[in-house]
Amino acid sequence: MKESLMKNLLKKSLLASAAILFTVSVAQNVQAQTVTVNATADVSNELTLTVASPMNFGSFIAIGGPTPATDTGTITIGTDGVLSAAAAGTDSNAAIIDDSAATAAEITIADGAPGATINVLIDGVVDPTDGTDSLTLTDFVTSTNGGADQSRTAGAGNEFTITYGASSPSTMIIGASLVTNATGAVGDGAYAGSFDVTYSY
């Protein structure tokens, strides 16, 4: 009886072992399967810039004193598009004649990343001239997306940053001043100049 019981136990043990060996054997022979996953991206570092409005100082009187050089006449266009005039010294004069065409510069910046920091540089200033006389374009001021005015200095090394708006496009408005040189009254006529505004991440 005991011998029969032992044989049954041994038989069950061998069957269990065989089952385990069979299971392990199956797992070891499963073929490895590989799938390739593509990775794609769209890099868009380029901003789209548009001059929505040029800078126009309207029509004005501009007289600078011959001496000293501090006697100057100044015409200023604010970011709100309002012109103002000021004269320094006894031999200078500045006054607005017609401001109906006056506009601050307006630039729209599209295709930017919402909330991103953008580097800005005002450079390449060409003072307005009629071909004979000239006025100094200076004292830039900017307002971004309706924010407060910020004074800016043009030229290399004077880069500043703005925050791109929550939606596209963002808007920057630029005001500035025209200052007479110490040469007395400048000649009548149409004066033209320019400046560059560079945006980058």
Side-chain angles (χ1 to χ4, degrees):
M1 182 72 175
K2 288 184 178 180
E3 184 178 347
S4 176
L5 180 59
M6 289 296 292
K7 286 182 178 180
N8 286 335
L9 289 174
L10 180 59
K11 185 177 180 181
K12 289 181 179 179
S13 177
L14 290 172
L15 288 173
S17 297
I20 293 171
L21 289 173
F22 177 76
T23 302
V24 172
S25 177
V26 170
Q28 288 177 340
N29 288 304
V30 170
Q31 293 294 321
Q33 302 295 313
T34 301
V35 62
T36 299
V37 179
N38 293 328
T40 62
D42 184 9
V43 177
S44 182
N45 290 332
E46 186 173 339
L47 299 167
T48 301
L49 309 176
T50 304
V51 178
S53 173
M55 184 175 286
N56 189 322
F57 287 86
S59 178
F60 53 85
I61 296 168
I63 299 173
T67 56
T70 53
D71 282 11
T72 56
T74 301
I75 301 294
T76 299
I77 182 82
T79 59
D80 57 1
V82 175
L83 280 179
S84 60
T90 57
D91 296 321
S92 63
N93 192 9
I96 299 163
I97 296 173
D98 184 0
D99 63 357
S100 59
T103 57
E106 181 177 341
I107 300 173
T108 57
I109 311 105
D111 300 324
T117 296
I118 296 177
N119 304 306
V120 185
L121 176 65
I122 297 174
D123 201 5
V125 177
V126 178
D127 290 329
T129 179
D130 66 347
T132 302
D133 296 321
S134 63
L135 296 161
T136 301
L137 181 59
T138 186
D139 298 332
F140 291 91
V141 60
T142 67
S143 171
T144 304
N145 298 325
D149 285 357
Q150 300 289 330
S151 296
R152 310 297 187 186
T153 302
N158 294 302
E159 194 173 55
F160 57 94
T161 61
I162 63 171
T163 300
Y164 193 84
S167 60
S168 181
S170 280
T171 301
M172 174 181 284
I173 300 177
I174 306 174
S177 294
L178 289 180
V179 182
T180 61
N181 299 310
T183 55
V186 297
D188 291 354
Y191 285 67
S194 63
F195 58 93
D196 298 329
V197 186
T198 303
Y199 299 83
S200 63
Y201 286 113

